[in-house]
Amino acid sequence: LRDNRIELVRATWHELSISVSDVSLSDEGQYTCSLFTMPVKTSKAFLTVLGVPEKPQITGFTSPVMEGERMQLTCKTSGSKPAADIRWFKNDKEVKDVKYLKEEDEVRKTFTVSSTLDFLADRSDDGAVVSCRVDHESLNSTPQIAMQVLEIHYTPLVKIISSNSWPEEGQSIILTCESKGKPVPEPVLWTKDGGELPDPERMVVNGRVLSISFLNKTDNGTYRCEAKNPIGRNSTEYVLIVHDVFNTLLPTTVIPSLTTATVTTNVALTASTTTSATATSIRDPNALAGQTGPDHALIGGIVAVVVFVTLCSIILLGRYLARHKGTYLTNEAKGAEDAPDADTAIINAEGSQVNAEEKKEYFI
């Protein structure tokens, strides 16, 4: 052996050792040690040199990729001996369905290995990290890795969130339109039943939020939120139903005094869903006419009947008291017309109080 990279390490009658520095693939082969005796004795050994694979590279990715397009990523490494092994990972999860190709270099006796990952781009892949890992026995359990971050563009995904699951008349509601897409969607567009919002004073749009105050039955309908970006547009709908409000009304009617006696009558009206006197509450002035409320004609009739009965009772009571107040003897006796004055007539009258029996008076 005559090579500057080969050195004699030890030479004794019992051992002969050499070292080879900067090992290359050409150093691979059979080495022979001979002992010059009679006869000559020899020992042989075959040296295998491993080809270390080059750092892998990923090709085939062009940013950005539209959702639904087919992607083909190729990972390639050269100089391995024996052929290296390539494995694919997406967010640390191994992908099994890949294509594997191995090519041998006849001159160097090394291998070029490539693997192709083929899949359809999906919005869930946006931001995912795809890695190609090369395993080889020469790497001492430390694989070489190449990585690629995916960028997927997709149309907006739209969803409406309501702040009130059971909206009632007079209340408020907030509808939030969540839109997620790449690129980021433009400001959303709110419509009602296919047209513009009918009441801008109560229906206020702030970015992606629609606020409706003082709800009434005219607000019932289908509200649509639409979002778009350079890739496309998408929309979703929310059906709003405003519910009635039911309360109990307990009015009190006071009759003013028409005579010396004052009469106060309390009338309690219990409202129910089957009577004409229906409960009412303070509500928005814009609420529709004809909504459930008190029956004023019925209440007025009841008040009139109470007043009439009260007046009749007062009149009858007055007459009764007047007739039983008391009676005094003031009649003149028969034949007293010729008396010169009233005193003489009373004295001369038959049955005069002078001669009359004592009588008692009773006051009831």
Side-chain angles (χ1 to χ4, degrees), residues 23-40:
V23 177
S24 65
L25 292 175
S26 60
D27 295 325
E28 182 175 290
Q30 183 173 281
Y31 290 75
T32 303
C33 173
S34 299
L35 179 61
F36 293 94
T37 61
M38 293 299 293
V40 177

Side-chain angles (χ1 to χ4, degrees), residues 135-155:
D135 293 312
H136 194 263
E137 53 187 304
S138 65
L139 299 177
N140 297 324
S141 301
T142 305
Q144 294 181 340
I145 300 176
M147 294 186 299
Q148 177 65 61
V149 180
L150 302 182
E151 182 181 3
I152 312 297
H153 284 191
Y154 54 93
T155 56

Side-chain angles (χ1 to χ4, degrees), residues 250-268:
L250 296 174
T252 301
T253 304
V254 178
I255 306 300
S257 60
L258 300 179
T259 61
T260 56
T262 301
V263 179
T264 302
T265 303
N266 294 328
V267 180

